């Protein structure tokens, strides 16, 4: 066999209809050089044979055989390890929303308002995505699942909405990274920093999935360390243990909850916090996308999903509680909300006269926004590729190179980065308000779609004669948990509609009211327009439960009896192991 043929592996299969064995050749990336797999030579940019439309190399195959091949040969290589997926879930979405956006939310909603907003949004993050991703670790994640379980037209709207969400967030994050540097110096024009961070992101993208995963692992470790450190320092300061001469050299307790108060704008202020909270949680659903690039989703995804719960309780709620106790919502430095100087983390450390740590937090903020920028490229490119595979985007976006990069899809997301340069002109602020309006509600639409997918999946699972005991991982609360999440999404959308019509502080005239409404609610009509467009294009209707495909891409085929034996064996484990599994794994 020549060198070219050695890069393929043979396999044979037979279907239940009696077709004879047919030999199929699969592309084996492990036969490539280390430089090709890492994406560091020209060979790596060539199209990987056999991973898209030309996947089937030879043979007259039955439908059953083709589906078996699709299950066994995922489009993207499984490069992520368990530690990568765990840290993506635990720290991947910690960024601008928590470190910077929480300051503006504190100003608008007050200390009690931000806790209510973040807790309600956090409840939506149930582990329905984990249940489906473990059973179906398919390329495109929840977009592909929506295409299968709901309606291709609705999936088209959700997929393009999700792509736009990340494509628009990329220039926003790059600009915030640039303004973060202004905390130390304003001598260098913001355009220079935007260019620097854009180039850094492109360099990391050269390493594909592995580059993203490694960057997320180490940046998440740093972010978690800083947040935990801040919580301990904050507790000491609240109790009066701060340095002499600072604002926290005496006991303050809940002083700022009493004066100026727990709420800054009442019910209206609480409603205005929801979108900021949702933005801070965006990226949590990346576990569903990453499942297809993980060797063993069954063992890695449950721990990553359960890590979401610990992030909500320990990282977000605890740190926001500390912030609300340390900083009054009347602090004028919270007004900006767009730079590191407006970060409540930095403000609290400055107030306490704690030297050095404010700079460390600022470095972390800079790294965090770069991390989210890379998440933009990862999530946007994978979704665009999945859209192309299902015929809802140009076919050239299905191009996957030998380093497992969806090359054209990655480029498509990266070209949005130069929008950040509008920040250097007078109209930049206006442009950025509209970009934020596009991405504002997108996260809520995505989570609502995931909940709806899970509800329809569970219904089809039951109608087609399956038992929930067959599932390798069951979402907390089952379908009822997804109904709760979907209900909360609808309620938050209604609350945001109210705030869009009647914004905090009011408006002077009808023209300003219209602008205020679309700045807060623009994502909703965009999704609706995509949905209508998808229907007019393909004329699809929602799947009925008995029509839903539950077999293609399915990884677990264990029977009820086999799953019962598996769970009985696990029950025989020592108590401490069972407790650990319950909290952190499956």
């Amino acid at each position: 066999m020549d060198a070219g043929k050695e890069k393929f592996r043979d396999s044979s299969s037979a279907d239940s209809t009696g077709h004879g064995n047919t030999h199929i050749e699969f592309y084996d990336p492990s036969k490539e050089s280390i430089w090709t797999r890492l994406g560091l030579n020209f060979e790596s940019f060539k199209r990987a044979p056999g991973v898209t439309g030309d996947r089937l190399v030879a043979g007259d195959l039955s439908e059953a055989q083709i589906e078996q091949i699709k299950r066994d040969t995922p489009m993207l290589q499984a490069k992520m390890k368990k530690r990568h997926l765990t840290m993506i879930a635990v720290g991947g979405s910690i960024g601008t929303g928590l470190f910077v956006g929480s300051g503006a939310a504190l100003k608008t909603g007050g200390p009690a308002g931000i806790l209510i907003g973040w807790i309600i949004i956090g409840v939506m993050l149930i582990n329905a995505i984990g249940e489906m991703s473990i059973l179906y670790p398919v390329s495109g994640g929840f977009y592909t699942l929506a295409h299968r379980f709901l309606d291709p037209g609705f999936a088209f709207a959700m997929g393009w909405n999700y792509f736009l969400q990340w494509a628009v967030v990329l220039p926003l994050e790059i600009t915030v990274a640039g303004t973060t540097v202004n905390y130390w110096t304003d001598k260098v024009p913001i355009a220079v920093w935007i260019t620097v961070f854009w180039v850094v992101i492109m360099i990391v993208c050269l390493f594909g999935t592995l580059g993203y995963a490694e960057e997320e692992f180490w940046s998440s470790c740093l972010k978690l360390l800083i947040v935990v450190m801040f919580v301990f320092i904050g507790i000491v300061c609240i109790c009066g243990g701060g340095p002499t001469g600072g604002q926290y050299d005496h006991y303050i307790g809940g002083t700022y909850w009493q004066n100026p108060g727990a709420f800054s704008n009442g019910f209206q202020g609480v409603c205005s916090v929801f979108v900021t909270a949702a933005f801070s949680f965006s990226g949590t659903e990346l576990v569903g996308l990453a499942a297809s690039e993980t060797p063993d989703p069954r063992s890695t995804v449950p721990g990553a999903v359960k890590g979401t719960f610990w992030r909500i309780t320990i990282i977000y709620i605890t740190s926001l509680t500390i912030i609300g106790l340390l900083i009054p919502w009347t602090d004028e430095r919270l007004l900006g909300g767009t730079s590191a100087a407006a970060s409540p983390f930095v403000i609290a450390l400055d107030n306490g006269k704690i030297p050095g740590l404010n700079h460390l937090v600022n470095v972390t903020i800079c790294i965090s926004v770069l991390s989210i920028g890379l998440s933009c490229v990862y999530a946007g490119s994978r979704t665009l590729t999945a859209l192309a595979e299902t015929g809802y985007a140009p076919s050239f976006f299905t191009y996957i190179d030998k380093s497992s990069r969806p090359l054209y899809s990655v480029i498509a997301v990266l070209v949005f980065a130069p929008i950040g340069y509008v920040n250097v002109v007078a109209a930049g602020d206006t442009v950025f308000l509209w970009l934020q309006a596009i991405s504002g509600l997108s996260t809520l639409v995505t989570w609502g779609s995931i909940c709806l997918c899970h509800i329809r999946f569970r219904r089809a699972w039951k109608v087609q004669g399956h038992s929930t005991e067959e599932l390798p991982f069951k979402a907390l609360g089952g379908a009822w948990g997804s109904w709760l999440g979907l209900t909360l999404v609808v309620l938050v959308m209604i609350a945001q509609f109210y705030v869009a019509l009647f914004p905090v502080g009011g408006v002077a005239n009808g023209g300003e009211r219209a602008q205020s409404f679309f700045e807060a609610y623009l994502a909703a009509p965009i999704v609706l327009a995509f949905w209508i467009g998808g229907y007019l294009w393909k004329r699809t209707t929602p799947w009925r439960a008995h029509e839903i495909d539950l077999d293609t891409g399915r990884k677990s085929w264990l029977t009820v009896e086999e799953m019962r034996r598996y769970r009985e064996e696990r029950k025989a484990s020592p108590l401490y192991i069972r407790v650990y599994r319950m909290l952190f794994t499956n």
Side-chain angles (χ1 to χ4, degrees), residues 82-83 86-87 90 299-300 302-307 309-310 473 570 573-586:
K82 183 176 181 179
R83 64 182 177 90
T86 299
M87 294 310 293
V90 174
S299 65
T300 56
V305 169
K306 290 183 178 180
F309 171 77
W310 297 112
F473 176 79
R570 290 169 66 87
S573 302
L575 178 61
Y576 70 93
I577 293 180
R578 281 182 283 147
V579 172
Y580 175 80
R581 286 171 177 165
M582 179 181 67
L583 295 176
F584 301 105
T585 61
N586 186 11

Side-chain angles (χ1 to χ4, degrees), residues 183-513:
Y183 183 78
W184 295 294
T185 178
D186 56 0
K187 303 293 185 182
V188 181
I190 183 65
V192 174
W193 294 120
I194 291 173
T195 304
V196 169
F197 291 124
W198 184 24
V199 171
V200 169
I201 288 177
M202 286 192 289
I203 291 173
V204 176
C205 287
L206 286 176
F207 294 90
T209 300
L210 191 60
Y212 165 73
E214 284 294 339
E215 186 279 335
E216 280 297 288
F217 176 81
W218 293 108
S219 66
S220 293
C221 288
L222 175 62
K223 288 184 282 188
L224 289 172
L225 174 65
I226 294 302
V227 172
V228 172
M229 183 187 302
F230 176 80
V231 168
F232 281 108
I233 293 174
I235 293 173
V236 172
C237 290
I238 292 168
C239 296
T244 303
Q247 292 186 17
Y248 311 126
D249 59 356
H250 60 282
Y251 177 78
I252 61 172
T255 301
Y256 297 135
W257 278 64
Q258 299 173 4
N259 182 25
F263 297 94
S264 60
N265 289 283
F267 176 73
Q268 196 178 28
V270 174
C271 291
S272 67
V273 169
F274 287 134
V275 170
T276 304
F279 178 78
S280 72
F281 279 120
S282 62
T284 308
E285 70 286 343
L286 286 178
V287 174
L289 278 174
S292 64
E293 298 181 63
T294 306
D296 186 9
R298 182 175 174 180
S299 65
T300 56
V301 174
V305 169
K306 290 183 178 180
T308 301
F309 171 77
W310 297 112
R311 178 173 66 252
I312 294 169
T313 55
I314 296 177
I315 298 174
Y316 281 96
I317 303 305
T318 305
S319 58
L320 289 172
T321 300
I322 297 296
I323 286 170
L325 292 171
L326 288 174
I327 306 171
W329 55 262
T330 53
D331 194 312
E332 294 184 356
R333 287 170 292 178
L334 295 172
L335 284 173
T338 57
S339 68
S343 168
F345 289 78
V346 175
I347 291 172
L349 294 171
D350 283 342
N351 288 347
K353 306 296 183 184
I354 303 175
L357 285 181
N358 56 339
H359 297 292
L360 179 59
V361 169
N362 202 52
V363 169
T364 305
I365 293 173
C366 189
I367 293 174
S368 297
V369 294
L370 276 175
S371 172
I372 299 298
L374 285 167
S375 296
C376 294
V377 179
Y378 178 82
S381 63
R382 270 58 182 178
T383 303
L384 183 56
T385 300
L387 282 161
E389 287 195 308
T390 53
Y392 283 105
S395 59
F396 63 83
F397 286 120
T398 61
Y399 187 102
I400 310 294
D401 66 21
K402 292 186 177 182
S403 186
S404 189
R405 293 170 297 209
L407 197 59
Y408 293 142
S409 297
V410 168
I411 294 173
V413 180
L414 286 173
V415 295
F416 277 81
I419 297 176
Y421 289 114
V422 302
N423 196 62
V424 304
V425 299
D429 291 343
T430 302
V431 174
F432 264 68
L433 281 174
W434 289 105
L435 291 177
Q436 288 176 323
I438 294 174
S439 63
L441 295 179
S442 296
T443 300
L444 294 175
V445 172
T446 297
W447 291 342
S449 303
I450 291 171
C451 291
L452 193 56
C453 276
H454 185 238
I455 292 168
R456 294 302 297 156
F457 160 70
R458 279 295 188 96
R459 177 62 180 166
W461 194 254
K462 180 180 180 180
V463 167
Q464 296 185 29
H466 293 282
S467 167
T468 55
E469 291 188 75
E470 298 176 56
L471 299 174
F473 176 79
K474 289 186 279 189
L476 180 65
W480 289 108
S482 291
W483 275 114
L484 172 62
L486 183 60
T487 302
L488 287 174
V489 168
V490 172
L491 291 176
V492 171
M493 294 283 283
I494 293 172
Q496 185 61 18
F497 185 83
Y498 163 69
V499 175
L501 282 178
F502 306 100
V504 174
V507 291
N509 54 58
E512 289 186 7
R513 184 179 299 277

Side-chain angles (χ1 to χ4, degrees), residues 40-52:
L40 296 179
N41 60 17
F42 289 110
E43 180 70 18
S44 69
F45 291 96
K46 293 182 179 179
R47 186 169 191 152
V51 294
T52 52

